[in-house]
Amino acid sequence: MPRFWAITLLLALPFRGAADDPHLPGGKAKGASAVLEKKTFAGADGKALPYRLLKPDGAPAKSYPLVVFLHGAGERGTDNEKQLVHGVPEFAKDENRKKYPCFLVAPQCPDGLKWVDVDWSADSHAQPKEPSEPARLVLELIESLRKEYPIDPKRIYLTGLSMGGFGAWDLIARRPELFAAAVPVCGGGDEAQAPRIAKLPIWAFHGAKDGVVKPRRSRNMVEALRKAGGLPGSTEYPHVGHDSWGPAYRDAEMMKWLFDQKRP
């Protein structure tokens, strides 16, 4: 397991406003659509999951990292477009594609479903016994991509925001051996699962003024991980509300840290 460190930052960074909020009109995919192929995955039970795929840019290599990106509630649907509004454009930037060539998969959760079936406004939750249907399809999709493309099995990363942040906490607890690192943004998990993921490199982000998902959800997970012997990263923005994904995904240090992680 790569060496990791505990880091707690309180930063007053600029963040994007209503024009970038998927819960408000005006959110756009910021050109990411042009470099991510439109695809649909059919699960073992025939259920379909739309997804977008970014392929590596740069010199060919024997294998590449895979970034799994889980969007928020406002991007659910079947258009295979809305899930590109936040976070994905940062990975798709020319400079980042050159620095960090990778595969990135951005599945789209159907309307009315969730990456994990829990109440986002609650103070805590117990992990459901089984993954949600979209989450199960995501795990199947990862295995399918590993068979089709030259993906480094030691460098599979998971990140998500809001509903996707909950999904990220959920999936790493279900499959801690699959992922090399995770970046959950403004989400929350089941603190009882902390011992299962204590050794996994994790960097959590949240806005201190978040009125949708309580900041304590990230704080409590970080505290539980530390009690379990982990060294999670934690960044809380004191003047940011729910849209902490803006500064989180623009953070060059986070991006570098993520791609530095590798399973033994």
Side-chain angles (χ1 to χ4, degrees):
M1 181 65 60
R3 191 178 176 188
F4 192 46
W5 63 97
I7 175 170
T8 301
L9 305 175
L10 294 178
L11 305 176
L13 296 180
F15 59 95
R16 295 184 173 123
D20 299 310
D21 191 335
H23 305 282
L24 298 172
K28 296 180 180 179
K30 302 184 184 304
S33 182
V35 293
L36 281 96
E37 298 177 17
K38 274 191 176 184
K39 294 177 174 286
T40 301
F41 174 72
D45 60 357
K47 298 288 186 180
L49 184 72
Y51 71 96
R52 301 297 287 266
L53 183 67
L54 177 71
K55 292 181 178 177
D57 183 24
K62 291 183 179 179
S63 62
Y64 295 91
L66 170 66
V67 178
V68 181
F69 181 89
L70 302 181
H71 63 75
E75 295 90 69
R76 287 177 290 186
T78 57
D79 67 349
N80 211 356
E81 188 74 34
K82 288 188 291 185
Q83 75 267 37
L84 306 183
V85 172
H86 299 299
V88 175
E90 296 302 323
F91 289 95
K93 281 183 176 179
D94 288 344
E95 62 214 68
N96 283 332
R97 294 185 70 199
K98 290 176 182 177
K99 280 185 182 179
Y100 313 113
C102 69
F103 290 96
L104 181 144
V105 61
Q108 186 176 32
C109 182
D111 286 320
L113 299 181
K114 301 178 180 180
W115 297 125
V116 54
D117 293 321
V118 297
D119 180 358
W120 307 318
S121 64
D123 290 336
S124 64
H125 73 262
Q127 185 179 57
K129 183 177 179 180
E130 300 294 335
S132 69
E133 179 182 295
R136 176 181 56 77
L137 288 171
V138 168
L139 291 174
E140 290 183 23
L141 172 58
I142 293 171
E143 293 307 314
S144 176
L145 293 173
R146 289 177 63 182
K147 293 176 182 177
E148 184 175 358
Y149 298 105
I151 289 168
D152 186 346
K154 297 180 180 180
R155 300 182 68 197
I156 298 177
Y157 310 126
L158 179 61
T159 185
L161 61 93
S162 192
M163 179 183 78
F166 281 89
W169 284 115
D170 184 74
L171 286 183
I172 58 175
R174 295 184 189 278
R175 294 290 305 278
E177 82 291 348
L178 177 61
F179 301 103
V183 178
V185 180
C186 57
D190 178 0
E191 293 94 329
Q193 302 299 320
R196 289 179 52 79
I197 56 175
K199 293 183 179 180
L200 182 69
I202 298 170
W203 191 343
F205 290 80
H206 219 115
K209 294 186 177 181
D210 194 329
V212 178
V213 179
K214 297 178 177 66
R216 74 182 69 170
R217 297 309 309 271
S218 288
R219 295 173 192 161
N220 290 349
M221 284 304 300
V222 168
E223 182 181 359
L225 288 168
R226 289 174 178 165
K227 286 182 178 178
L231 293 173
S234 175
T235 297
E236 187 171 298
Y237 302 106
H239 304 299
V240 176
H242 188 48
D243 52 352
S244 53
W245 52 79
Y249 289 114
R250 292 198 306 271
D251 189 329
E253 287 301 312
M254 182 281 289
M255 195 74 70
K256 180 180 184 304
W257 170 85
L258 181 64
F259 285 97
D260 280 346
Q261 306 310 309
K262 187 174 184 178
R263 295 188 63 83

